[in-house]
Amino acid sequence: MKVVYHERYREVYSSDPAAQPGRIEGIYNELYGQFEFVKPMPASEEDLLLVHSRGHVEYVRAHQLAYEIALLAVGGAINASEIALQGEPAFGLIRPPGHHATPNSCWGFCYFNNIAISIEKLRREDKIKNALIVDIDLHYGDGTANIFQGVSQVTYFHPDAWNRQAFLDEISRFLAAWKDKVDIVAVSAGFDRHEQDWGGMLKTEDYFVIGKMIKEFAERACNGKRYAVLEGGYNHLVLGKNVKALLEGMV
């Protein structure tokens, strides 16, 4: 497992909860020394335009600091996807998050859709044909769903059960029933369903279970090609432990 990380992800670029000081540091402190860290390059404007309109890119560019960090977040997701394509699991310890960013708009602390750009870049470069995106964030990734609406080669799945066991069972049933070909599986890894976060539902060990389910599915469906990128999760006291649990399950 490689962790994609840049020190600029620590910068406070906004007043929203995803940009709060200490959030990235708490995760970093749990993961450093346990996994290999690699440093990404910023995404290019051409990467952004794979899924976003030029008008949206210009809108975000007007917020200069947020734009710079968001470019690095997209670059981190791209790097994680490329590592996964080589057969090694990866995690993008990135911010801002991205799954609420549509081609022409964004909300929910997002600017650009990190995971969607990383998948679309692999598709456009003919490195993959089919992909599965599993979103475990508390909130539905409307941006990701919007971007890939009508794209039969990319499936977006967001379990919506409001009970701990039902949530795990829904993921398990979905993955067990999967029959179509897939070349890579990507996880929009939000941790705000935790019992001590906004969702008040999952325990830390549940993230290990989810990670293990993703690993076993990837080994069966796509020769183990799997990666995750950070989305939500706002309780700094437990966020790092929850991320670590997911990664330990994924490896």
Side-chain angles (χ1 to χ4, degrees):
M1 169 70 73
K2 288 183 178 177
V3 175
V4 181
Y5 168 80
H6 196 287
E7 58 272 12
R8 291 204 70 187
Y9 297 145
R10 296 179 181 232
E11 293 186 31
V12 178
Y13 53 84
S14 170
S15 60
D16 68 60
Q20 282 186 353
R23 180 170 179 261
I24 292 296
E25 290 88 334
I27 305 172
Y28 177 91
N29 292 339
E30 285 287 342
L31 302 185
Y32 188 75
Q34 305 297 314
F35 303 98
E36 180 183 353
F37 276 60
V38 297
K39 189 173 184 178
M41 297 292 292
S44 67
E45 184 171 324
E46 288 73 21
D47 293 329
L48 304 180
L49 294 173
L50 291 172
V51 307
H52 293 292
S53 68
R54 191 171 297 278
H56 179 66
V57 172
E58 293 305 318
Y59 167 77
V60 179
R61 196 197 306 272
H63 308 271
Q64 185 60 36
L65 179 57
Y67 178 74
E68 292 174 8
I69 310 302
L71 283 180
L72 278 170
V74 175
I78 290 171
N79 196 348
S81 72
E82 292 170 341
I83 292 168
L85 199 64
Q86 299 304 312
E88 183 173 2
F91 174 68
L93 176 50
I94 65 176
R95 74 174 184 186
H99 71 158
H100 292 306
T102 73
N104 299 300
S105 65
C106 59
W107 69 286
F109 323 140
C110 301
Y111 294 87
F112 300 124
N113 199 308
N114 308 311
I115 206 160
I117 295 170
S118 67
I119 289 292
E120 189 61 16
K121 186 174 176 69
L122 293 180
R123 281 178 12 94
R124 296 286 186 95
E125 294 175 349
D126 291 325
K127 293 178 178 177
I128 65 167
K129 294 187 180 300
N130 302 280
L132 170 64
I133 300 171
V134 178
D135 190 336
I136 61 171
D137 194 90
L138 173 64
H139 306 97
Y140 180 71
D142 55 309
T144 310
N146 181 290
I147 287 167
F148 292 115
Q149 183 178 13
V151 180
S152 61
Q153 296 90 348
V154 181
T155 299
Y156 172 78
F157 169 64
H158 179 263
D160 58 3
W162 288 93
N163 168 278
R164 176 192 175 202
Q165 191 58 52
F167 185 81
L168 297 175
D169 290 345
E170 186 176 347
I171 297 174
S172 178
R173 284 194 302 271
F174 178 86
L175 296 179
W178 187 270
K179 302 298 181 186
D180 297 329
K181 179 176 174 53
V182 65
D183 298 310
I184 199 166
V185 57
V187 182
S188 269
F191 298 89
D192 41 359
R193 284 187 188 267
H194 189 261
E195 61 185 353
Q196 295 179 46
D197 211 307
W198 293 355
M201 191 174 79
L202 297 180
K203 295 184 178 295
T204 296
E205 55 263 35
D206 295 332
Y207 291 104
F208 177 87
V209 173
I210 293 168
K212 187 175 180 182
M213 286 193 285
I214 294 295
K215 172 192 174 184
E216 292 173 350
F217 171 81
E219 289 175 341
R220 171 173 63 85
C222 52
N223 296 316
K225 296 180 176 68
R226 60 198 184 276
Y227 70 104
V229 300
L230 181 64
E231 299 283 2
Y234 307 104
N235 184 339
H236 301 185
L237 297 178
V238 296
L239 180 55
K241 292 179 173 57
N242 295 335
V243 173
K244 184 179 179 183
L246 179 76
L247 302 197
E248 288 177 339
M250 287 183 68
V251 299

